[in-house]
Amino acid sequence: MSKYEFIEVEKDTNSDGQIISVFLNNPGSRNSMTWKMGEEFAEAIRSISKEKKLPRAVIISGKNDVFCAGGDLNLLRSFSEKTFSQNKKGMRKFYSFFLSVRNLPVPVLAAVNGHAIGAGLSIAFACDLRVFANEGKYSFNFVRLGIHPGMGSSFLAPELLGKSLGGRLLFSGETFTGIDAKNWGLAWQSHPKAEVYAKTKELAVYMAEAAPLALQELKQNLYSWKDLDRALKKEAESQARNFISADFKETLASVVEKRPPVFIGK
């Protein structure tokens, strides 16, 4: 079914199309998020939403033994070369590509089958339910890169975990595991990495047994796009400033020179 370069879409033939899986697939950079991947992801989500017979559930996962390493370094570098206005507009567009997953009218499960960092982790938070890999490493590392959290994370983390724990993950950029995610109630389940996708599909099949119209109504009523939109506007403005700061240029230099960044607050 897939027709994309960085996205794979698969229908589960054993469930008569009731389960559709969307995989991030950028093998050259641990499924990092590029502009092209974003466009393809949004198109895949639109196509699923327009199916004559909607699936009962959708799974979002990653190929290449990882979920998503976050924003592609070359894409981030390009933001540092643009103006505040260009970045502000560009960030809102980039967010919309991946957060389109919230537009799906059916339950969406994230099979977080490996590491998920920054904006990549936000995709999992934007899904309805999550299954994490026990040994996976997860982090909202934005502030450690010299930028404000983005991709809706400043809204999604407190929405799911509360302001105390959600704020802690955003302020610290600390790394947590799939077992942590399960203990916090963030993950429905956690399993060894090799089992995550299969276990998620089992849950999707279980959910597919419920009344589809009731699930679709629930999906429509469960979330507030208005609140998320306000957060995205603030994130875009903050990241637009941060990307042209001296601190973010220091981040880029530190990656090339393979050393910790030294921030000066400018």
Side-chain angles (χ1 to χ4, degrees):
M1 181 180 175
S2 186
K3 58 180 179 180
Y4 307 108
E5 182 178 358
F6 298 113
I7 298 292
E8 288 192 18
V9 181
E10 295 180 3
K11 278 189 177 180
D12 187 344
T13 55
N14 295 323
S15 64
D16 191 27
Q18 292 190 96
I19 309 297
I20 294 180
S21 297
V22 179
F23 297 94
L24 307 179
N25 185 22
N26 189 356
S29 59
R30 299 181 299 164
N31 299 345
S32 62
M33 303 156 79
T34 65
W35 197 272
K36 179 68 178 298
M37 177 192 278
E39 290 177 329
E40 293 182 350
F41 186 87
E43 175 56 32
I45 298 301
R46 281 193 298 270
S47 296
I48 293 170
S49 298
K50 293 177 181 178
E51 293 259 338
K52 290 183 178 180
K53 182 181 178 182
L54 286 172
R56 296 290 185 90
V58 172
I59 298 172
I60 307 295
S61 193
K63 294 286 188 177
N64 317 306
D65 204 33
V66 68
F67 186 76
C68 181
D72 177 78
L73 181 60
N74 289 328
L75 178 65
L76 298 180
R77 183 178 288 111
S78 74
F79 293 146
S80 72
E81 299 168 352
K82 296 179 180 178
T83 67
F84 170 83
S85 296
Q86 289 172 326
N87 280 333
K88 180 180 175 181
K89 182 179 179 181
M91 294 318 300
R92 287 301 300 268
K93 185 68 174 177
F94 190 62
Y95 300 158
S96 72
F97 291 149
F98 293 97
L99 294 179
S100 63
V101 70
R102 279 213 169 188
N103 292 325
L104 282 169
V106 300
V108 183
L109 296 84
V112 194
N113 59 318
H115 302 336
I117 305 299
L121 182 57
S122 296
I123 300 175
F125 273 53
C127 295
D128 301 305
L129 297 163
R130 288 150 292 280
V131 177
F132 278 73
N134 291 339
E135 62 271 51
K137 302 297 183 183
Y138 309 108
S139 172
F140 287 121
N141 66 335
F142 297 99
V143 295
R144 295 190 172 276
L145 299 178
I147 54 177
H148 186 283
M151 196 57 72
S153 57
S154 66
F155 174 83
L156 295 168
E159 178 190 54
L160 293 177
L161 295 169
K163 285 190 177 181
S164 180
L165 180 53
R168 167 184 146 187
L169 297 181
L170 294 169
F171 277 117
S172 69
E174 68 183 90
T175 299
F176 61 94
T177 67
I179 295 174
D180 293 326
K182 182 180 179 181
N183 290 339
W184 294 336
L186 175 62
W188 188 346
Q189 297 176 357
S190 68
H191 297 282
K193 180 188 295 188
E195 300 176 16
V196 167
Y197 178 71
K199 293 294 186 180
T200 306
K201 183 172 282 190
E202 289 178 11
L203 293 174
V205 171
Y206 171 74
M207 295 191 69
E209 296 172 355
L213 292 180
L215 289 175
Q216 291 168 29
E217 291 284 347
L218 176 60
K219 180 66 181 280
Q220 182 177 350
N221 295 331
L222 195 58
Y223 302 112
S224 168
W225 262 110
K226 181 185 293 186
D227 292 340
L228 178 56
D229 276 341
R230 280 197 292 264
L232 293 175
K233 180 180 179 181
K234 293 177 181 177
E235 286 185 354
E237 291 175 350
S238 294
Q239 286 200 328
R241 280 190 292 271
N242 296 154
F243 279 129
I244 58 176
S245 70
D247 277 346
F248 186 65
K249 289 180 172 60
E250 165 64 9
T251 293
L252 296 175
S254 71
V255 171
V256 173
E257 298 168 13
K258 298 181 180 180
R259 59 170 175 79
V262 179
F263 297 127
I264 59 174
K266 294 182 180 180

